[in-house]
Amino acid sequence: MKEAELLARWRAEKPLYEAWSDFISQKVHEGLHACIAPVSLDYFIKVPVKPRLKADSTLVDKALHRKKYANPYEDLTDKVGMRFVVLLTTDIKKVCEVIEAGAGQGFWEASKDRDYEKERLDKPLEFSYQSVHYVLRAKAGLIHQGAQIPEGAACEVQIRTLLQHAHSELTHDTLYKPKTTAQPEVKRTVAKSMALIEATDEFFEKAIKDLDEAARPGRELLAFLAKLYENGTKVAPGQELSNQIVIDTCFNLAPQAPYKEIGDFLQAKGFIFDKIKERLTTRHFFTQPVVLLAYYLAQAKPAQVKDIWPLDRDDLALVFSDLGKKFED
Amino acid sequence: MLNRRPDSEVSFACTMCFGGAISVAQGSIKTNRAMAFENLTIGRIIIHEIFRLNEDRTMVDPHYGNGLIQLDAEAKDALQKRITEALGSSSHGVEMSIQDSGAQSAWLAAKNIIDAAGNNAQFIALSQTITAKLAASQTTKVVPGGIVVVIDGTAGHPARPFVCAIKAEPHPGFIKKEENGQLLLEYLKELILTPEAKLYKIGAFIHADPAQVDPQQPTAGWRAFLFDDLITKGNRLGAAHYFYSTFLGLVFPSNSAFQTKEFHTLTKTFIKSANIDEERRSDLLNALTAYLKADQIATIQVGVFSDTYLGTPELKDAYTHYMEQNEFPVQAIHKDLSEVAPALKKRKITFGHNISLTAPPEEFEGLVRIQAIDGDADEHGQVPKWTQITIRDRIREQE
């Protein structure tokens, strides 16, 4: 194939590939959004995903000079690509699931052309570049943004952890230059950092798991409050950080599961939900389910809750007032 | 009215633990009859202005407001807080008895406001009647003028109608302003209802039990509350008599002496059963006597005793909870020592083997020191707790 011919086709099809990568990006984001809720995508994805088309010269360089492809245009799988960077290896699995699900929905065929887990098993003594690479090939009949996506069009999707990403950023442009690869000391240093990254990743996973376990009782209390709140006010409970802060601070004052005292108290004082509803538009704190805990503690342990209250005291004062209690000392 | 119960034995199943993990207040919460101001909802608001007497002691006519005041949500919340801070549980507000229910009484005007329900013209007219009555009650030049705020609404659960009249004395202050990025202070001569509690008085009537009707006793089923910072200290009779008596037609409840004694008995029982060391127990019993005997206060209040003496939030909550469970009023009560006086004359500490120590409470604090000490170990190596008593005086007489 001649360079001119290859470039002409590529230039003509660029908008189609652009549409194709945009389609993938959109579908994967949608799928992730659902599977990680209530965590936000902004938090989950550590580096914004930007689909990138290969530059003309790089395309020619790779398709016709560096590699010996039978069908240079079709066989080049990274004409367009995108990268998902997440925090943990377990997060990588979530992205993989979403991509496999997209295959199930008939959008694309997904083939893993790199799998660091498999590579680790194959070469247990080596610490080198790690990432998951997928090649997604479009199924027939996809139309996106008015463009008819060519059947079989390829797009490369990389999924890495933040640590793997850092390692890759360090090595990508420098290490694979022939000169530097010749230096065993540099390679050794890079291998050592990769080994550290793998160990760090294990610690991260363990820390997250332990944190999650430690936060469970608080989370259960919050879930209980959120349900009561929704039943009582018919309004979706807020999920802001205030909830966590109050639960953290006041957990030892709260009754233990199944929190019968809180339920009984709110049942006896049904007016509390009316008071909350009146304040929804003027007082943020009353949109958060933890306000119910504030009412309970204002009644059951007023001096103690006053002593440790972590948020705006005006809100707690209003809670006391609703219960007919003096607040100021 | 509280039920009488034997002095010595109060039902206080004590499973208390005041250190570490607290389980005391986690039991069921009683809906206490004293929670009169929970679920407070402010309805209509109107203000009028009254003035100090002229130099020749003649009255200046009040300046009447003719329309209802509209407040936004935040301002209503603030007003609600002013009322619960003054009259709510743990406040200095006192429940009073209604004495004057005659044709000119403040109570009747409040009742008429409630009976006229949604009639704004009636509300305005009756609020003027109330204001005129307050103006006429101020018969000395010492009493300053002020803004009279009349509010109706509901309180309690289930919600009951209430009317309250606030006399707010204007006082000067500053507010912060910003102009062209520059911070400025603006002086305002007439602020009212700031959290500065001294500068307002409140009288409130709640129709707490509408089912209770008694032709002989028109105020049956009604409760009245008074807040006046002056009655919490010093000479209550001189201080605000014009407000609570002449204007509102209220008197201090006749059961004050009983309630004072009840306060003493319950608090003593609590201190005796609390899981604290003996030295601290002794200190608290001394404090109880001191609190009741202090000349400066005209009222007794669970929250005040708790805040002043009990120290830890855990002990405070346990005490408040205990008093509530025993249905002791959470508002202030009028102090009357006539029934409790004998109990305050002597403090007695009893040890094992019929050994006891008796002393006047006021001497206890200064001259007697009690400490728990480790005794000599017995044959099993167990170290008993002994008591070391230091009396800072010589023996005068022995029997």
Side-chain angles (χ1 to χ4, degrees):
Chain A
M1 195 181 240
K2 294 276 165 48
E3 277 184 32
E5 198 186 329
L6 183 89
L7 274 178
R9 184 170 172 197
W10 173 230
R11 284 177 182 147
E13 287 191 356
K14 266 187 195 174
L16 303 180
Y17 277 87
E18 216 159 336
W20 171 222
S21 60
D22 187 75
F23 177 84
I24 294 169
S25 166
Q26 198 182 311
K27 289 293 169 200
V28 176
H29 278 92
E30 280 169 17
L32 279 175
H33 182 74
C35 99
I36 62 170
V39 176
S40 78
L41 274 179
D42 282 351
Y43 178 80
F44 184 81
I45 295 172
K46 300 299 179 187
V47 177
V49 179
K50 266 191 271 169
R52 236 176 293 210
L53 296 174
K54 231 180 191 41
D56 293 0
S57 58
T58 324
L59 185 90
V60 171
D61 186 64
K62 188 170 179 185
L64 299 179
H65 300 279
R66 273 195 278 144
K67 308 271 177 174
K68 303 277 178 250
Y69 292 121
N71 303 301
Y73 192 83
E74 284 77 14
D75 291 351
L76 196 63
T77 55
D78 60 350
K79 291 194 281 299
V80 62
M82 70 191 74
R83 181 181 296 144
F84 288 86
V85 179
V86 294
L87 183 63
L88 302 167
T89 45
T90 43
D91 295 337
I92 291 184
K93 291 201 179 80
K94 285 178 188 154
V95 184
C96 292
E97 277 163 26
V98 169
I99 287 174
E100 307 280 351
Q105 285 167 291
F107 298 138
W108 52 68
E109 285 200 20
S111 63
K112 247 189 208 172
D113 76 340
R114 263 196 101 132
D115 182 342
Y116 67 89
E117 286 191 334
K118 189 174 174 298
E119 286 171 26
R120 279 183 196 175
L121 292 175
D122 292 346
K123 298 176 184 168
L125 296 181
E126 199 173 287
F127 292 97
S128 61
Y129 172 74
Q130 297 192 330
S131 180
V132 174
H133 291 192
Y134 275 99
V135 173
L136 305 189
R137 286 190 182 274
K139 290 271 187 121
L142 291 181
I143 295 174
H144 184 64
Q145 294 175 337
Q148 173 89 44
I149 314 243
E151 184 182 357
C155 174
E156 188 179 276
V157 178
Q158 301 181 356
I159 311 154
R160 302 168 171 170
T161 68
L162 206 46
L163 290 171
Q164 288 167 352
H165 184 58
H167 177 269
S168 166
E169 291 285 292
L170 172 79
T171 56
H172 189 75
D173 284 334
T174 48
L175 196 67
Y176 294 108
K177 284 176 181 164
K179 255 192 198 164
T180 37
T181 29
Q183 298 178 6
E185 267 180 41
V186 177
K187 282 182 103 171
R188 185 68 190 159
T189 305
V190 170
K192 281 194 279 191
S193 44
M194 194 66 231
L196 266 180
I197 283 174
E198 204 175 312
T200 309
D201 185 71
E202 266 184 49
F203 290 139
F204 275 15
E205 290 284 353
K206 180 170 169 14
I208 289 274
K209 200 170 154 250
D210 292 350
L211 281 173
D212 194 60
E213 188 57 32
R216 196 162 47 83
R219 220 170 32 235
E220 283 169 4
L221 173 59
L222 185 56
F224 172 81
L225 294 171
K227 199 163 167 227
L228 269 186
Y229 186 94
E230 189 154 23
N231 288 342
T233 61
K234 310 290 173 218
V235 174
Q239 296 180 338
E240 267 64 59
L241 198 61
S242 301
N243 287 303
Q244 211 49 61
I245 291 171
V246 173
I247 297 262
D248 275 1
T249 322
C250 302
F251 188 77
N252 290 337
L253 297 183
Q256 298 190 338
Y259 324 111
K260 183 174 181 306
E261 300 87 338
I262 302 180
D264 290 351
F265 165 70
L266 289 167
Q267 180 114 40
K269 309 258 178 189
F271 67 87
I272 286 172
F273 293 110
D274 297 328
K275 288 284 180 193
I276 290 172
K277 280 191 274 185
E278 280 171 25
R279 305 221 170 84
L280 288 177
T281 53
T282 50
R283 290 229 164 220
H284 169 76
F285 179 65
F286 289 77
T287 65
Q288 306 299 310
V290 85
V291 69
L292 299 178
L293 184 64
Y295 276 103
Y296 171 79
L297 292 176
Q299 185 78 347
K301 303 187 170 182
Q304 293 170 83
V305 72
K306 247 161 76 172
D307 193 41
I308 60 173
W309 187 247
L311 304 179
D312 188 349
R313 295 184 79 75
D314 270 0
D315 289 322
L316 189 63
L318 208 49
V319 165
F320 271 63
S321 178
D322 285 345
L323 295 173
K325 283 169 169 278
K326 176 183 163 70
F327 178 77
E328 303 297 340
D329 290 330
Chain B
M1 173 78 82
L2 288 158
N3 296 321
R4 273 187 183 272
R5 57 171 69 84
D7 284 345
S8 53
E9 288 300 314
V10 178
S11 58
F12 182 22
C14 181
T15 51
M16 295 200 172
C17 163
F18 298 132
I22 305 299
S23 56
V24 180
Q26 287 191 347
S28 65
I29 294 167
K30 267 193 177 169
T31 10
N32 192 318
R33 68 183 281 274
M35 301 285 179
F37 290 93
E38 69 180 356
N39 192 22
L40 186 67
T41 301
I42 291 172
R44 292 173 295 189
I45 308 164
I46 188 167
I47 67 168
H48 311 286
E49 187 170 13
I50 55 172
F51 304 94
R52 198 187 285 271
L53 291 185
N54 284 318
E55 279 306 310
D56 62 358
R57 301 182 49 133
T58 53
M59 197 180 101
V60 184
D61 285 336
H63 177 204
Y64 294 114
N66 294 312
L68 300 181
I69 306 275
Q70 304 300 332
L71 294 180
D72 65 19
E74 198 179 346
K76 263 195 176 177
D77 282 349
L79 190 54
Q80 177 192 319
K81 274 197 257 181
R82 294 292 178 278
I83 298 173
T84 53
E85 287 297 307
L87 297 176
S89 62
S90 298
S91 72
H92 290 297
V94 188
E95 178 154 14
M96 304 285 283
S97 301
I98 304 168
Q99 188 182 46
D100 183 5
S101 56
Q104 306 301 318
S105 66
W107 168 77
L108 188 64
K111 179 182 186 299
N112 288 339
I113 284 178
I114 289 170
D115 290 347
N119 187 331
N120 287 349
Q122 282 261 49
F123 173 76
I124 293 167
L126 286 161
S127 74
Q128 293 177 353
T129 307
I130 288 171
T131 304
K133 168 108 182 166
L134 176 54
S137 304
Q138 304 198 159
T139 51
T140 76
K141 282 187 288 181
V142 187
V143 181
I147 301 297
V148 182
V149 189
V150 179
I151 296 169
D152 77 349
T154 57
H157 182 58
R160 300 295 187 208
F162 90 100
V163 170
C164 80
I166 305 176
K167 180 187 170 189
E169 292 168 22
H171 55 107
F174 293 90
I175 59 164
K176 177 205 75 174
K177 277 176 66 174
E178 198 178 336
E179 265 171 33
N180 307 321
Q182 178 72 26
L183 279 176
L184 300 169
L185 271 186
E186 186 178 352
Y187 181 67
L188 294 178
K189 274 202 305 203
E190 295 195 298
L191 295 170
I192 58 165
L193 288 172
T194 54
E196 190 53 67
K198 287 186 194 73
L199 300 165
Y200 54 89
K201 306 181 194 308
I202 307 180
F205 295 96
I206 303 181
H207 199 188
D209 185 2
Q212 209 179 320
V213 177
D214 179 355
Q216 302 303 311
Q217 180 88 48
T219 61
W222 288 79
R223 298 177 73 186
F225 294 86
L226 171 73
F227 169 80
D228 181 346
D229 190 58
L230 294 171
I231 63 162
T232 64
K233 42 177 112 46
N235 179 1
R236 68 176 169 86
L237 292 173
H241 190 263
Y242 82 89
F243 190 78
Y244 76 80
S245 178
T246 319
F247 167 46
L248 293 170
L250 304 177
V251 290
F252 283 95
S254 56
N255 63 348
S256 299
F258 171 74
Q259 286 186 330
T260 306
K261 187 178 179 192
E262 188 79 355
F263 175 86
H264 180 249
T265 309
L266 287 170
T267 304
K268 202 163 80 178
T269 311
F270 173 82
I271 295 170
K272 283 159 86 171
S273 322
N275 182 18
I276 48 180
D277 66 47
E278 292 303 324
E279 254 174 282
R280 177 118 180 80
R281 196 184 318 284
S282 177
D283 287 348
L284 289 181
L285 289 169
N286 286 341
L288 175 60
T289 311
Y291 177 62
L292 287 171
K293 283 190 151 181
D295 290 335
Q296 293 306 308
I297 52 165
T299 57
I300 287 168
Q301 210 270 313
V302 168
V304 172
F305 179 75
S306 162
D307 283 342
T308 315
Y309 298 108
L310 294 184
T312 67
E314 289 82 2
L315 196 59
K316 286 180 191 177
D317 280 347
Y319 174 61
T320 311
H321 183 69
Y322 172 74
M323 295 303 266
E324 278 175 12
Q325 273 203 326
N326 284 282
E327 294 180 14
F328 193 84
V330 285
Q331 270 113 354
I333 59 162
H334 170 224
K335 183 171 88 173
D336 180 340
L337 294 179
S338 50
E339 282 191 40
V340 78
L344 295 180
K345 278 207 182 104
K346 262 188 196 170
R347 258 204 72 194
K348 182 177 176 186
I349 298 179
T350 309
F351 304 86
H353 304 91
N354 271 333
I355 301 169
S356 62
L357 172 72
T358 312
E362 54 273 22
E363 306 297 356
F364 225 93
E365 210 178 340
L367 298 179
V368 181
R369 181 159 178 233
I370 297 175
Q371 270 177 298
I373 56 166
D374 289 341
D376 296 339
D378 63 15
E379 63 268 31
H380 308 293
Q382 298 285 321
V383 179
K385 279 289 175 200
W386 290 358
T387 311
Q388 188 172 63
I389 299 173
T390 310
I391 297 169
R392 299 167 63 180
D393 206 340
R394 302 167 65 144
I395 294 171
R396 202 186 62 191
E397 196 186 312
Q398 297 194 53
E399 280 174 23

